[in-house]
Amino acid sequence: METTNQDETVSMPRIGEEAPAFKAVTTQGEIDFPKQYKGSWVILFSHPADFTPVCTSEFMTFASREQEFNDANCKLVGLSVDGLYSHIAWLRTIKEKIEYKGMKNVEVKFPLIEDITMEVAKKYGMIQPGESNTKAVRAVFFIDPKGIVRAIIYYPLSLGRNFDELYRALIAMQTADKFSIATPADWVPGDDVIVPTAGSCGVAKERMESKEEMHCYDWFFCTKKLKKEDIEKK
Ligand code: BEZ
């Protein structure tokens, strides 16, 4: 989607659309996005600035949990409008000097994009002038293995993200894809899932006759059990 903001064109990717493509320099070399991530989920996230406290707490948390996301077939890619040497110096400081909430010697192994020109940040609607003209807001884009944007979350500068929620959202979307279900409020693996509403009499009849155990709160709201082990197995 493109909108005109005074004299500037701002693009905002939308859910269900292809992730805008770009090539960029990162702390792990050049990347060709999202092409080189085809086949994996990827979380592309922005932060306002290197050497700032909220961002430092976020990077330490995300880097400490990177393996968990990788194990769920999801790669992480960060971005800010700082330059490469700033990124490298900040990540080195984090590794060598910062101990926070039991995390220390934290090495950020995922790529952090340098975006001094704001080219990528503008493509992804990460510059939101009401919040800041010079810094990216805290944006999170979930992109699926086909390169489609599946979820977007934006946070203001002052609000550190909840990484349990990012992980939960990833697993919920993967589970919805694999089992053709939806997930209710506050769902976590092991909780009951929502069976899509029967669209026709045939489906409703088939469902009533099936042995699958469901609990229906009303005709439009049915849930069934889905074991955590079954999600992990798939
Ligand atoms: C921070 O990460 O601490 C931060 C960055 C920009 C504005 C406010 C806070």
Side-chain angles (χ1 to χ4, degrees), residues 81-122:
V81 302
D82 297 291
L84 185 62
Y85 295 107
S86 164
H87 284 344
I88 291 169
W90 179 47
L91 299 187
R92 189 184 302 142
T93 304
I94 287 177
K95 182 168 181 333
E96 292 176 358
K97 296 198 179 152
I98 314 277
E99 184 170 348
Y100 171 70
K101 283 196 167 176
M103 297 178 277
K104 63 177 183 178
N105 294 118
V106 174
E107 196 171 340
V108 176
K109 296 184 185 139
F110 56 79
L112 174 50
I113 296 169
E114 80 155 356
D115 191 28
I116 312 172
T117 60
M118 299 191 187
E119 190 190 326
V120 180
K122 284 182 179 166

Side-chain angles (χ1 to χ4, degrees), residues 61-226:
T61 308
F62 226 172
S64 300
R65 297 185 62 170
E66 185 184 4
Q67 191 59 50
E68 224 179 306
F69 283 84
N70 289 172
D71 289 347
N73 188 32
C74 180
K75 303 276 191 331
L76 310 178
V77 180
L79 174 148
S80 82
V81 302
D82 297 291
L84 185 62
Y85 295 107
S86 164
H87 284 344
I88 291 169
W90 179 47
L91 299 187
R92 189 184 302 142
T93 304
I94 287 177
K95 182 168 181 333
E96 292 176 358
K97 296 198 179 152
I98 314 277
E99 184 170 348
Y100 171 70
K101 283 196 167 176
M103 297 178 277
K104 63 177 183 178
N105 294 118
V106 174
E107 196 171 340
V108 176
K109 296 184 185 139
F110 56 79
L112 174 50
I113 296 169
E114 80 155 356
D115 191 28
I116 312 172
T117 60
M118 299 191 187
E119 190 190 326
V120 180
K122 284 182 179 166
K123 255 186 189 174
Y124 274 82
M126 293 165 172
I127 304 296
Q128 305 210 353
E131 184 73 347
S132 172
N133 279 315
T134 56
K135 293 177 171 64
V137 294
R138 298 180 199 281
V140 186
F141 290 87
F142 294 82
I143 296 160
D144 75 12
K146 293 186 177 138
I148 302 297
V149 176
R150 297 291 299 274
I152 305 172
I153 315 178
Y154 286 110
Y155 298 73
L157 303 186
S158 64
L159 177 57
R161 285 161 276 209
N162 182 315
F163 294 87
D164 285 336
E165 171 57 7
L166 302 189
Y167 187 74
R168 188 193 78 91
L170 172 72
I171 301 298
M173 285 184 279
Q174 292 178 340
T175 304
D177 287 356
K178 285 176 192 158
F179 295 91
S180 302
I181 50 82
T183 49
D186 295 334
W187 178 86
V188 288
D191 288 352
D192 291 357
V193 295
I194 292 181
V195 184
T197 305
S200 68
C201 288
V203 176
K205 187 167 177 284
E206 202 177 287
R207 188 173 286 169
M208 280 162 70
E209 286 167 358
S210 98
K211 302 250 177 330
E212 198 171 56
E213 219 176 280
M214 281 197 305
H215 178 82
C216 288
Y217 298 87
D218 205 330
W219 64 268
F220 62 92
F221 184 7
C222 295
T223 61
K224 67 174 183 181
K225 300 214 173 305
L226 179 57

